[in-house]
Amino acid sequence: MTTEKTREKLDPEDAELVVKKVRERYASFATAGTSCCGPQPTSCCSSTDTVASTLGYSSADLDLLPNGANLGLGCGAPLEHLELAEGETMLDLGSGAGIDALIASRKVGAAGSVIGVDMTPEMLDAARANAADAGADNVDIREGRLENLPVEDATVDAVTSNCVINLVPDKSAVFKEISRVLKPGGRLVISDIVLEGALPEEVRENVLAYVGCVSGAAPRDVYFHMLTDAGLGDIEVIKDVDFLEMTEKASPAEILAITEATGVSKDELRGIVRSVTYRARKP
């Protein structure tokens, strides 16, 4: 798997190039209908349902999804902690093929609504098709960037996102946007990646490591300061696990590809890349 493409370098400060590479990576997942790195799930990773179950999704929720909604992406299962109620409006940041939006649509009911925002045309097409297949008339999939959400001020009760904000170069803008669209007293539960220490340069500048939700992550203290700077408070970490160990259980070839492409061993990265699920609230 050590091809020129996997060894490709990336300047993390080149925001538009970063966005381009992320869009290309996730377009390929949408087209393939899986996040697996090979043509067959068994060639390099577990089935998408196994990956989602490892992350914390319930089989009851997964069984009700249309084929293609679950691509085996994410670093947690934030929705189960959001405690959605009927009639609420929920916003899903980086909604992908629609897994969380569709699960949420049943929780908020016909009187509620779900907005999904994504920047990748192939993901938007997939999510809209999956919503139609599920008969989820209360799901509205919108094209947009997380730094400039196509959502009106103070119109959302709850926000979720699963392993997406780490991919955005300007994370502080995302948190300011979350604060803007939330109603007073609104809440969020997000799964994302933070760092407990510095990454080796070979990993920090590798394209595969960035689009694989590793090298774009911010240090933990910086990350959570961005939330408070955006006016979000009552931050509570619900779950905190080693992202590489978790990913290796479900998709070992993803980790192997990164270590081979960068020449950095798993032991050198152990404990640094953390998957956290946390909640916060707008006053």
Side-chain angles (χ1 to χ4, degrees), residues 162-177:
N162 195 348
C163 213
V164 176
I165 296 174
N166 72 86
L167 296 168
V168 180
D170 189 354
K171 297 168 184 54
S172 63
V174 178
F175 295 123
K176 290 172 184 175
E177 282 291 273

Side-chain angles (χ1 to χ4, degrees), residues 188-203:
L188 58 130
V189 177
I190 288 173
S191 292
D192 207 5
I193 304 299
V194 298
L195 299 179
E196 287 282 11
L199 290 170
E201 182 179 350
E202 296 87 347
V203 175

Side-chain angles (χ1 to χ4, degrees), residues 16-254:
E16 289 310 307
L17 180 59
V18 166
V19 169
K20 177 177 181 288
K21 293 298 182 181
V22 169
R23 187 183 280 121
E24 289 174 355
R25 169 79 160 179
Y26 289 86
S28 70
F29 291 157
T31 302
T34 177
S35 61
C36 187
C37 54
Q40 300 294 331
T42 54
S43 70
C44 68
C45 59
S46 305
S47 71
T48 54
D49 277 359
T50 299
V51 174
S53 296
T54 300
L55 295 176
Y57 286 87
S58 72
S59 58
D61 283 333
L62 295 174
D63 289 345
L64 293 174
L65 293 172
N67 291 333
N70 172 22
L71 301 183
L73 296 167
C75 59
L79 203 58
E80 66 170 319
H81 303 286
L82 200 52
E83 299 176 351
L84 291 169
E86 287 196 17
E88 289 193 310
T89 296
M90 190 205 80
L91 171 63
D92 182 11
L93 304 180
S95 46
I99 178 172
D100 289 317
L102 294 178
I103 294 172
S105 72
R106 296 194 299 272
K107 297 181 184 298
V108 301
S113 62
V114 176
I115 302 167
V117 175
D118 206 282
M119 69 171 185
T120 303
E122 291 84 354
M123 284 293 189
L124 294 163
D125 290 343
R128 288 167 180 153
N130 289 326
D133 287 349
D137 296 332
N138 60 348
V139 173
D140 179 11
I141 303 296
R142 304 178 185 178
E143 183 173 6
R145 296 269 290 268
L146 304 194
E147 310 97 307
N148 186 21
L149 292 169
V151 181
E152 296 297 317
D153 294 0
T155 55
V156 172
D157 296 293
V159 172
T160 194
S161 184
N162 195 348
C163 213
V164 176
I165 296 174
N166 72 86
L167 296 168
V168 180
D170 189 354
K171 297 168 184 54
S172 63
V174 178
F175 295 123
K176 290 172 184 175
E177 282 291 273
I178 292 173
S179 185
R180 177 182 67 79
V181 302
L182 276 174
K183 298 175 182 177
R187 65 201 186 279
L188 58 130
V189 177
I190 288 173
S191 292
D192 207 5
I193 304 299
V194 298
L195 299 179
E196 287 282 11
L199 290 170
E201 182 179 350
E202 296 87 347
V203 175
R204 195 170 61 250
E205 295 181 353
N206 181 263
V207 168
L208 185 61
Y210 196 105
V211 299
C213 300
V214 173
S215 63
R220 181 189 296 265
D221 58 344
V222 173
Y223 186 101
F224 286 113
H225 277 137
M226 286 189 279
L227 268 84
T228 56
D229 288 346
L232 301 167
D234 296 334
I235 300 168
E236 177 191 358
V237 175
I238 303 165
K239 190 174 182 180
D240 183 345
V241 299
D242 188 300
F243 176 62
L244 298 187
E245 287 186 3
M246 179 181 69
T247 303
E248 191 173 28
K249 291 177 183 177
S251 184
E254 285 294 309

